[in-house]
Amino acid sequence: MANILVPMGHLIRDGDSGSHGAHEALVDTGQGAVVLERRTAVGHGPIGDIAVGEAGVVVTNFGADSVSILDPAGLAHADVVHLAGEPNAVVVTEDRAYVATASASHDDVSVIDLDTRTVVATFPVAFGVTALTAGPDGKRIYAGRTADDRVDITVIDVVAERVGTIDIGHGPAACIDALRVDSDGKRLYAAVTDAVGSRLVVVDAETSRVQRVIGVGSPIRDIACAGGAVYVLTSDRAVGGAVHVVDLSTGKVTDTVELGGAPTQLVMSPDQGRAYVVDYDRVAVLCTLSLEVLDSLSVDARPSCVASGVDGSQLYVADYSGAVNVFAVESTMEMLYSQFLATDPIAVGMPRSLQPAAV
């Protein structure tokens, strides 16, 4: 169950930030807080994906067959690591970056040592990777693959250096849109869309068997886990973008928030209090407690992807101009906690997605 004390918070931003090079600006929130915002031009074309860890911020330069590694604090440009193919997805663990690449001859997952800035291993995959995620302890990497109307998941055991496969199924125009692992690493969630509709597939990570298939409907763009729920981002022509809350105890969609637009990515903050949604020309900030949009962020170019900092105090927004923008995220946890202690518990509402279903 999600913590009902999740911080609402807000994002502090400066709408007049420049568009070239690295710079910083002081922003007064009106509440006495002063935070720092930076923008860095990476300089290798549009950025396709971004991942953040304590050892660095890693972005994929899909037009340059490389990734760039930046310092997470100052966003100073560190190194460029060239790859034998076009990178399309990246995840970061404690000291490694795993990058899915594709070329005319082969597809693989490259392992980059973030200390030495070198490729230390390569795991070939039989066909194209469409989604990538890592287990919470970094010992397993999961790559969703799609080919000839069939979808499966490659499981890379990092410690044993072995590769296995979880068969998901097949269908007309089937594709794995997103993968996520829950916080204890026991369940893997795969978002699958085909010509018939979309489904959330729940897989036991230990037995590699499908446990449950939950129908969603509209094409899925991304998913995120929070407590006992999975947040599913969809987009279609009829409704536009929407976030559906799937209660895992019942296997049903309990809430839907219509966002409009044409969103492509959903990222959960570490405290699970906010979901960041990349839309066509903005990043929407959704409160998972109230299911309300708290803010709408814009940068100088169209945003392509986002990643939350390790502790949630920073949000990294990459864009199609090849820049990374960092926003300071001010948490109001202490204020909310003090209010909670002074409030009759009956007055504290539970989110609709966590309320027990009617019998």
Side-chain angles (χ1 to χ4, degrees):
M1 181 178 293
N3 187 344
I4 64 172
L5 288 177
V6 289
M8 298 283 284
H10 58 279
L11 291 172
I12 305 95
R13 42 189 178 129
D14 173 19
D16 298 324
S17 56
S19 59
H20 300 288
H23 74 276
E24 57 190 46
L26 294 178
V27 184
D28 190 342
T29 68
Q31 298 178 342
V34 178
V35 297
L36 191 65
E37 178 188 355
R38 283 192 176 93
R39 174 183 173 86
T40 295
V42 179
H44 295 281
I47 295 172
D49 199 10
I50 183 171
V52 179
E54 293 181 357
V57 177
V58 183
V59 299
T60 62
N61 311 310
F62 62 86
D65 291 355
S66 67
V67 299
S68 296
I69 305 172
L70 301 94
D71 174 75
L75 282 191
H77 183 259
D79 279 299
V80 175
V81 179
H82 294 279
L83 302 166
E86 182 178 277
N88 53 55
V90 59
V91 294
V92 171
T93 60
E94 184 175 350
D95 58 354
R96 294 284 191 273
Y98 296 85
V99 187
T101 63
S103 68
S105 60
H106 67 281
D107 301 301
D108 58 40
V109 175
S110 300
V111 185
I112 299 175
D113 186 310
L114 294 178
D115 293 326
T116 64
R117 289 354 189 206
T118 58
V119 176
V120 294
T122 301
F123 295 94
V125 292
F127 44 89
V129 175
T130 57
L132 195 67
T133 193
D137 57 5
K139 295 181 179 180
R140 289 182 180 178
I141 304 300
Y142 300 91
R145 306 186 304 178
T146 302
D148 300 326
D149 295 339
R150 175 167 291 278
V151 291
D152 66 22
I153 300 171
T154 293
V155 183
I156 301 173
D157 188 319
V158 176
V159 178
E161 296 186 344
R162 294 183 300 185
V163 178
T165 301
I166 302 173
D167 185 39
I168 298 300
H170 60 87
C175 180
I176 292 184
D177 307 284
L179 287 174
R180 290 292 181 270
V181 186
D182 63 11
S183 58
D184 57 12
K186 293 183 178 180
R187 288 178 176 80
L188 175 67
Y189 303 99
V192 179
T193 299
D194 61 17
V196 177
S198 65
R199 292 164 291 282
L200 179 68
V201 181
V202 184
V203 179
D204 186 309
E206 294 302 321
T207 65
S208 298
R209 293 184 177 181
V210 174
Q211 291 184 321
R212 176 181 286 181
V213 177
I214 303 169
V216 176
S218 299
I220 299 175
R221 307 306 176 188
D222 208 350
I223 56 177
C225 304
V230 174
Y231 291 73
V232 180
L233 177 67
T234 64
S235 180
D236 60 21
R237 293 183 178 180
V239 177
V243 175
H244 310 270
V245 184
V246 178
D247 187 326
L248 295 174
S249 64
T250 63
K252 297 181 179 180
V253 175
T254 58
D255 280 297
T256 297
V257 182
E258 295 185 1
L259 301 174
T264 56
Q265 186 187 26
L266 172 69
V267 173
M268 192 69 64
S269 65
D271 61 19
Q272 302 180 358
R274 308 174 188 86
Y276 303 108
V277 181
V278 178
D279 203 346
Y280 178 80
D281 58 357
R282 65 166 184 160
V283 175
V285 184
L286 178 70
C287 175
T288 59
L289 180 64
S290 64
L291 296 181
E292 296 176 341
V293 175
L294 302 176
D295 207 345
S296 182
L297 308 177
S298 61
V299 292
D300 290 344
R302 281 181 55 197
S304 58
C305 47
V306 303
S308 183
V310 175
D311 63 359
S313 63
Q314 291 180 315
L315 180 70
Y316 300 86
V317 181
D319 61 43
Y320 284 105
S321 74
V324 176
N325 310 266
V326 58
F327 292 89
V329 181
E330 183 180 83
S331 173
T332 56
M333 172 62 84
E334 292 184 3
M335 180 186 69
L336 288 176
Y337 184 69
S338 63
Q339 290 178 347
F340 176 77
L341 292 179
T343 304
D344 187 333
I346 297 176
V348 179
M350 179 179 289
R352 287 176 293 167
S353 60
L354 300 179
Q355 291 177 357
V359 179

